[in-house]
Amino acid sequence: MKRVLFSLICSFVFWGISAQNHQGKIVLKNGTELVGKIISIDSSKNVVISIAGVESEIKMSDVAKIEDVNNDSPFNNNVGVSSEFAKMCELAEGSGLERAFSEHLTLVYGTLDCFLNEKNSFRVNLEFPALRIEGGSFEQYIKGRESGWRDEFNQETEAALNAFISKWNQKVKGIRAKKNNADMTMNLFITELDLGSTAAAIWGMRTIDGGASMSGFLELVDNNSDVVLSIVRIDDIKGLGNNGFAIYKEGNRLKKVFEKLAIKMAEDIK
């Protein structure tokens, strides 16, 4: 799958982590194709598939793509795990590096030095591989939301990404974030998301009460060589919810957690 700029936000890849009863096809990096019932997907570890009643566990690092083959499936034509994410998982798993440089950020591959060169720049690619939202799959979550919420979510995520770029350039004294024509690509892979609570934002006493939170990976890739320079694991980073008694809507809470990611990187990449 080609890298997707933030302006193509509506083309994000979604797959329910609890995909029971969906016929799926797993394409391995060696070209092998496996067709069967997808039992479960853990975006950072493995996928379990049942073929003729026999369950097999496959490492995500061996997977090139996962497709849904149910013609009547709501996932149809908008499903998969990108090759960039699969490659990132393989590199992170094989590196053996675990350098926690912040409360919520851990360097798992490469170096942080590449973020410090102010002569370099990056564009942003945002994906939600095997997204879990508020404890369940994205597609299961969306069933409980009003009609049109998915389009609203895409718009709010685009606004949140713009907020991330703005805050990054404001706070980070190093590599610049750009919308295009950059030296590098920053892949943001968000695998876990909680949109927070309006009630907690209204009645909470702390600024983080009701705030959105997310987990996943941040990856920096050289566009000329396609070499991965750095992979940072994001562990349950949380944005503002109640800030000076201001009531944040869901979209605003989403902006705040993306801004928090930029701020934490600015504070701790040294």
Side-chain angles (χ1 to χ4, degrees):
M1 181 183 294
K2 294 181 179 179
R3 289 191 174 89
V4 185
L5 295 178
F6 75 96
S7 58
L8 299 179
I9 201 145
C10 291
S11 66
F12 293 150
V13 179
F14 293 111
W15 177 282
I17 199 78
S18 299
Q20 290 88 342
N21 300 320
H22 284 280
Q23 285 295 114
K25 178 169 71 175
I26 299 175
V27 182
L28 302 182
K29 292 179 179 179
N30 63 11
T32 302
E33 296 185 357
L34 305 174
V35 178
K37 183 185 295 183
I38 301 296
I39 304 301
S40 65
I41 302 175
D42 185 323
S43 59
S44 63
K45 295 181 180 179
N46 55 47
V47 54
V48 178
I49 186 171
S50 175
I51 303 174
V54 178
E55 292 189 8
S56 299
E57 182 178 300
I58 302 169
K59 290 183 178 180
M60 193 61 74
S61 59
D62 294 330
V63 175
K65 184 170 59 172
I66 303 175
E67 299 176 347
D68 189 13
V69 297
N70 284 349
N71 292 330
D72 59 348
S73 169
F75 304 111
N76 216 28
N77 300 321
N78 196 29
V79 171
V81 173
S82 73
S83 59
E84 284 84 4
F85 181 70
K87 177 183 177 182
M88 186 278 300
C89 288
E90 183 176 14
L91 289 174
E93 182 180 344
S95 73
L97 178 62
E98 284 279 331
R99 177 189 161 193
F101 63 95
S102 174
E103 183 181 0
H104 301 282
L105 303 173
T106 301
L107 180 68
V108 294
Y109 180 86
T111 174
L112 295 176
D113 294 345
C114 49
F115 292 101
L116 303 177
N117 190 345
E118 61 185 16
K119 294 181 180 180
N120 293 332
S121 61
F122 67 84
R123 60 185 182 181
V124 184
N125 167 51
L126 178 61
E127 293 185 30
F128 293 94
L131 177 67
R132 288 179 61 83
I133 184 167
E134 300 190 3
S137 72
F138 177 84
E139 293 295 340
Q140 187 64 40
Y141 175 83
I142 200 175
K143 291 178 182 179
R145 299 301 302 252
E146 62 277 8
S147 175
W149 179 85
R150 186 170 192 155
D151 289 338
E152 183 178 341
F153 175 77
N154 286 338
Q155 293 170 6
E156 290 174 346
T157 309
E158 183 174 0
L161 192 54
N162 284 331
F164 170 84
I165 291 172
S166 177
K167 187 64 69 173
W168 181 282
N169 287 332
Q170 182 184 92
K171 295 290 185 179
V172 176
K173 296 180 180 179
I175 189 171
R176 301 289 83 194
K178 298 174 66 176
K179 295 183 178 180
N180 48 44
N181 299 323
D183 310 304
M184 303 177 186
T185 294
M186 177 183 286
N187 291 314
L188 287 178
F189 299 112
I190 307 304
T191 57
E192 298 272 350
L193 183 63
D194 190 308
L195 297 173
S197 167
T198 300
I202 295 172
W203 301 108
M205 300 300 293
R206 302 172 303 166
T207 57
I208 63 170
D209 287 341
S213 61
M214 63 185 185
S215 298
F217 296 89
L218 182 156
E219 175 190 53
L220 196 63
V221 183
D222 186 294
N223 289 338
N224 294 319
S225 63
D226 203 33
V227 171
V228 176
L229 303 174
S230 182
I231 299 173
V232 173
R233 188 175 67 237
I234 306 163
D235 296 310
D236 196 32
I237 196 165
K238 188 169 185 176
L240 294 176
N242 181 337
N243 183 22
F245 299 102
I247 301 170
Y248 284 109
K249 294 182 179 179
E250 197 171 86
N252 287 333
R253 294 196 297 268
L254 200 55
K255 286 182 182 178
K256 293 301 177 183
V257 71
F258 274 77
E259 288 180 348
K260 182 64 173 293
L261 175 58
I263 291 170
K264 290 298 292 181
M265 287 291 292
E267 290 175 347
D268 298 322
I269 50 174
K270 297 175 183 179

